[in-house]
Amino acid sequence: MDRQELAAFLRSRRERITPADVGLPAGPRRRTPGLRREEVAQLAFISTEYYTRLEQSRGPRPSREVLAGLARALRLSDAERDHLHHLAGAPPGPPPGPSREVRQSILDLLSRLPQAAAIVTSATFEVIAWNDLAAALMEDFSALPRRDRNLVRRVFLGPHPQGRRLYGVSDADAFARNATQRLRATAARYPDDPEVTGLVGELLAGSEHFSRLWASHDVSAEPTLCKTFQHPLVGPVTVNCDALDITDRDQQVVIYTAAPGSPSEEALRLLSVIGTQSMDVGR
């Protein structure tokens, strides 16, 4: 265990996080850059005295549970999490589960794409962030419970309102196949995560189609470059589909854009005006 390097690393990670990043008020008398020690301790579910000793290079070797709490509280990337474990003399094991925390810069990117529908998906195909146009094109995800935001669960288990499978996309079968292949790779990366294993078990029990695809053991997914949404208000919307990997968090940014001057571009422009206010029409 390298106590001095561990202390410096913890202090540097603490000072880069603002209270707003973790939902805490800044307060008028805050002088400490970033979070206070007691705030990190509270977020990590350890005592302030123990955390202070770690930052002062005089703490005992932290357990894996403490390291997991610190990584979560300090919002460490996978690389930073591994580094924390090495400094503490406890080589890292596999990541505990797919990350659902989206970087603020990615959230800002989504809001700056007014003419494109964009979502962020986790390694299990849960939609964890979206912009207004994506909600208008697909669904108002803010109105859904978390489990219903999962695209792989939706394509295999529904619901399919008016027979529109996965928002009426033209490549539903290809998406189902590719999603199964990527989910198998995800299950290998997170073998002990209960949400991953629970999702796979639910799909195996509820969908013969998924069971057949899963039995193939394929893990190589082909990207989808173009697809058409059958929208209940504006009709077919054909979009280019680009997926950008966020490797440190095992997430993807999926961006849907229409060809300039096309009817689909006009449809997206109309949806940006309509928003989600009439999304129950025709469903």
Side-chain angles (χ1 to χ4, degrees):
M1 176 179 174
D2 191 332
R3 285 181 170 82
Q4 290 188 344
E5 284 296 319
L6 176 62
F9 182 66
L10 290 174
R11 186 164 50 252
S12 70
R13 300 306 91 176
R14 173 173 63 83
E15 292 177 350
R16 72 175 182 176
I17 301 176
T18 67
D21 290 336
V22 293
L24 295 174
R29 297 184 178 181
R30 180 176 293 270
R31 298 178 181 177
T32 303
L35 298 179
R36 298 186 177 101
R37 287 173 175 170
E38 59 266 28
E39 290 170 337
V40 174
Q42 180 182 5
L43 292 169
F45 299 105
I46 60 177
S47 70
T48 301
E49 179 185 1
Y50 180 34
Y51 180 76
T52 299
R53 292 176 65 190
L54 288 176
E55 274 205 11
Q56 292 176 345
S57 306
R58 56 189 185 88
R61 182 190 302 243
S63 67
R64 289 186 178 274
E65 290 77 13
V66 168
L67 292 173
L70 290 171
R72 181 179 60 251
L74 296 171
R75 297 197 167 191
L76 301 186
S77 67
D78 287 346
E80 290 171 330
R81 168 184 165 273
D82 290 351
H83 185 59
L84 174 69
H85 275 260
H86 285 300
L87 292 178
S99 174
R100 298 184 63 256
E101 294 184 359
V102 182
R103 286 201 300 267
Q104 185 60 48
S105 60
I106 299 298
L107 296 176
D108 293 341
L109 171 65
L110 266 58
S111 67
R112 292 169 181 166
L113 296 172
Q115 296 180 348
I119 60 175
V120 180
T121 57
S122 71
T124 58
F125 290 89
E126 179 186 346
V127 178
I128 53 178
W130 57 90
N131 64 7
D132 291 341
L133 189 52
L137 176 65
M138 301 171 71
E139 183 157 20
D140 184 3
F141 295 107
S142 66
L144 299 177
R146 178 186 162 192
R147 63 169 280 110
D148 292 343
R149 297 175 189 168
N150 189 286
L151 299 182
V152 70
R153 179 183 283 116
R154 188 179 187 107
V155 75
F156 285 108
L157 303 180
H160 307 310
Q162 294 188 331
R164 294 187 309 116
R165 187 181 178 203
L166 196 64
Y167 314 110
V169 292
S170 57
D171 68 328
D173 286 337
F175 175 84
R177 181 174 61 255
N178 291 341
T180 302
Q181 294 169 4
R182 288 179 53 200
L183 187 60
R184 179 170 280 284
T186 295
R189 291 196 300 275
Y190 308 101
D192 300 320
D193 182 64
E195 288 197 19
V196 175
T197 57
L199 175 62
V200 172
E202 181 183 355
L203 293 170
L204 287 171
S207 172
E208 292 184 6
H209 185 197
F210 177 83
S211 297
R212 290 194 302 270
L213 293 172
W214 189 259
S216 71
H217 289 267
D218 292 334
V219 293
S220 179
E222 294 294 329
T224 298
L225 302 180
C226 183
K227 66 176 64 184
T228 298
F229 288 85
Q230 292 295 334
H231 194 275
L233 296 180
V234 300
V237 183
T238 299
V239 292
N240 298 315
C241 179
D242 294 287
L244 311 177
D245 289 327
I246 308 175
T247 55
D248 65 315
R249 302 206 176 183
D250 205 0
Q251 299 168 357
Q252 278 195 331
V253 181
V254 185
I255 304 174
Y256 303 113
T257 56
S262 67
S264 292
E265 183 186 44
E266 183 60 32
L268 286 181
R269 187 176 294 112
L270 178 58
L271 282 175
S272 69
V273 175
I274 296 174
T276 59
Q277 59 184 334
S278 301
M279 295 302 288
D280 57 339
V281 174
R283 301 183 67 182

